[in-house]
Amino acid sequence: MHIRYETPDDIDAIHDLTSTAFRPMAYSDGTEAEIIRKLRMSGDLAISLVAEEDREILGHVAFSPVTIEGVHDDWFGLGPISVTPARQRQGIGGALIARGLELLKEMGASGCALIGNPDVYGSAGFSSDGRLSYHDLDTRLVQRIVFRGPAPSGALRFAPAFES
Ligand SMILES: CC(C)(COP(=O)(O)OP(=O)(O)OC[C@H]1O[C@@H](n2cnc3c(N)ncnc32)[C@H](O)[C@@H]1OP(=O)(O)O)[C@@H](O)C(=O)NCCC(=O)NCCS
């Protein structure tokens, strides 16, 4: 399995993978695959990585710019992220996250934020101190990893592609 940037040939496979991975999830609203297309079209798909094995796309992760209290300040958001159901819990998601964080650091990002299950993202270094918020969501689900500067505080907002 190796991780690389997406190419135009991967676009349909990423769409199908994302739809399939999110379909069984109770928290999914079914828009995740379309969000990736919108990010790509609007120029907000800052990093898009695929995990590939034997020319099959097994996993994908997207990173896009976010604002905190209305300011960009080189923070990025992680997601959507998907691993094909038969290959989940084998380290593919963790490897995609680790590579994406490395690339963000190389780009000079200040940090990365996400909405998700702390059990999945804690080992990658994400945590919540309760000071980053997303609408009225439980702040334990609003996690971040700081690369430089102070830990952020305030309202997290994702790129327009995430607005329904
Ligand atoms: C979330 C997802 C991308 C994780 O990918 P993965 O390849 O299964 O993850 P990994 O095997 O690399 O595991 C990474 C960590 O997450 C944990 N984890 C993975 N799936 C989990 C689950 N369903 N519940 C709790 N913890 C989970 C692993 O135990 C591991 O933790 P550790 O490093 O402390 O041992 C994958 O399960 C998926 O595609 N889910 C459906 C789509 C989705 O829900 N995306 C995320 C929305 S927030």
Side-chain angles (χ1 to χ4, degrees):
M1 192 269 297
H2 86 284
I3 294 174
R4 59 168 175 78
Y5 284 107
E6 72 163 38
T7 69
D9 286 347
D10 301 321
I11 288 174
D12 290 342
I14 292 169
H15 191 90
D16 293 348
L17 164 68
T18 304
S19 301
T20 303
F22 274 92
R23 196 169 295 126
M25 299 297 146
Y27 47 76
S28 168
D29 61 3
T31 61
E32 296 83 4
E34 204 49 44
I35 286 171
I36 298 169
R37 280 199 196 278
K38 288 183 185 168
L39 285 170
R40 198 180 284 113
M41 284 176 63
S42 61
D44 282 330
L45 192 54
I47 297 176
S48 177
L49 298 177
V50 295
E52 181 184 53
E53 189 179 84
D54 298 334
R55 307 183 72 174
E56 188 186 352
I57 303 296
L58 301 178
H60 173 260
V61 65
F63 295 85
S64 56
V66 297
T67 63
I68 298 170
E69 287 297 300
V71 178
H72 171 48
D73 209 17
D74 290 324
W75 272 78
F76 290 82
L78 185 161
I81 178 169
S82 304
V83 171
T84 196
R87 297 293 300 271
Q88 289 175 7
R89 308 207 75 154
Q90 296 175 22
I92 296 173
L96 282 163
I97 294 168
R99 184 69 188 123
L101 295 180
E102 272 176 17
L103 292 168
L104 283 177
K105 278 191 215 167
E106 287 172 15
M107 286 165 51
S110 301
C112 183
L114 60 82
I115 308 295
N117 176 353
D119 293 340
V120 174
Y121 302 100
S123 60
F126 285 87
S127 61
S128 168
D129 63 1
R131 295 191 302 136
L132 200 57
S133 61
Y134 183 72
H135 299 291
D136 57 359
L137 203 66
D138 183 337
T139 56
R140 283 173 297 188
L141 303 178
V142 187
Q143 299 159 66
R144 84 283 182 277
I145 180 168
V146 181
F147 300 146
R148 62 181 170 87
S153 171
L156 173 68
R157 292 289 177 272
F158 291 88
F162 286 85
E163 313 289 334
S164 47

